């Protein structure tokens, strides 16, 4: 008896975060780990980005909160100088992990917009 064996190889696509859908309005939005109202307080207490400016400065940034609580795709929406951009990058990089947004109780990628206002008065 002549037995032939065939090997079938299935190549399954591995979804990386960059290929998954990013939700603008997930069922439960992402939130800062210490509470939504505490993010600007946390930034002010732990970073001194505003100490270098005499006038009021504002910066709006957008990023994606990943299912693991990290972030990616930082974009500066408002036009600000490079010095403030770099300081904000450092702050965002050192923030604790976020609570990711969820859809059907599953963590998903979701957009997040953060407005940082520097009032050094």
């Amino acid at each position: 008896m002549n037995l032939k064996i065939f090997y079938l190889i299935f190549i399954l696509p591995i979804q990386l975060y960059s290929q998954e859908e990013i939700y603008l309005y997930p069922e439960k939005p992402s939130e800062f780990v210490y509470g939504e109202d505490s993010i600007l307080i946390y930034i002010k207490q732990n970073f001194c980005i505003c100490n270098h400016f005499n006038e009021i400065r504002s910066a709006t940034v957008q990023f994606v909160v990943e299912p693991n609580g990290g972030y990616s795709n930082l974009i500066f929406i408002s036009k600000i100088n490079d010095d403030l951009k770099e300081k904000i990058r450092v702050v965002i990089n050192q923030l604790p992990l976020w609570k990711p947004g969820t859809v059907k109780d599953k963590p998903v990628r979701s957009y997040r917009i953060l407005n940082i206002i520097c009032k050094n008065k």
Side-chain angles (χ1 to χ4, degrees):
M1 181 158 112
N2 211 359
L3 183 64
K4 292 185 179 181
I5 299 175
F6 293 98
Y7 292 99
L8 295 177
I9 300 174
F10 293 97
I11 300 175
L12 300 175
I14 298 173
Q15 286 193 344
L16 301 174
Y17 288 146
S18 62
Q19 297 173 341
E20 292 178 1
E21 182 177 2
I22 303 172
Y23 290 84
L24 185 56
Y25 300 108
E27 291 171 2
K28 182 179 177 193
S30 61
E31 63 180 281
F32 187 58
V33 71
Y34 298 123
E36 214 39 44
D37 296 335
S38 65
I39 186 164
L40 295 178
I41 295 168
Y42 181 89
I43 290 173
K44 186 175 181 178
Q45 289 176 346
N46 292 284
F47 304 98
C48 57
I49 62 171
C50 297
N51 293 349
H52 307 287
F53 306 108
N54 292 328
E55 69 276 358
I56 295 174
R57 297 275 179 110
S58 175
T60 304
V61 296
Q62 174 185 296
F63 52 93
V64 175
V65 176
E66 300 292 350
N68 67 359
Y71 88 94
S72 64
N73 303 338
L74 178 65
I75 297 171
F76 289 88
I77 295 174
S78 57
K79 292 185 179 185
I80 56 175
N81 66 29
D82 291 338
D83 184 40
L84 186 55
K85 277 184 184 180
E86 189 54 38
K87 290 179 188 328
I88 290 173
R89 269 193 195 96
V90 169
V91 168
I92 300 294
N93 283 332
Q94 293 179 6
L95 286 176
L97 294 179
W98 292 75
K99 293 179 185 175
T102 59
V103 172
K104 297 181 182 175
D105 294 326
K106 178 186 173 199
V108 295
R109 300 179 82 208
S110 61
Y111 285 109
R112 187 63 201 222
I113 295 177
L114 184 61
N115 190 26
I116 300 172
I117 300 172
C118 291
K119 295 179 187 175
N120 196 17
K121 293 187 178 191

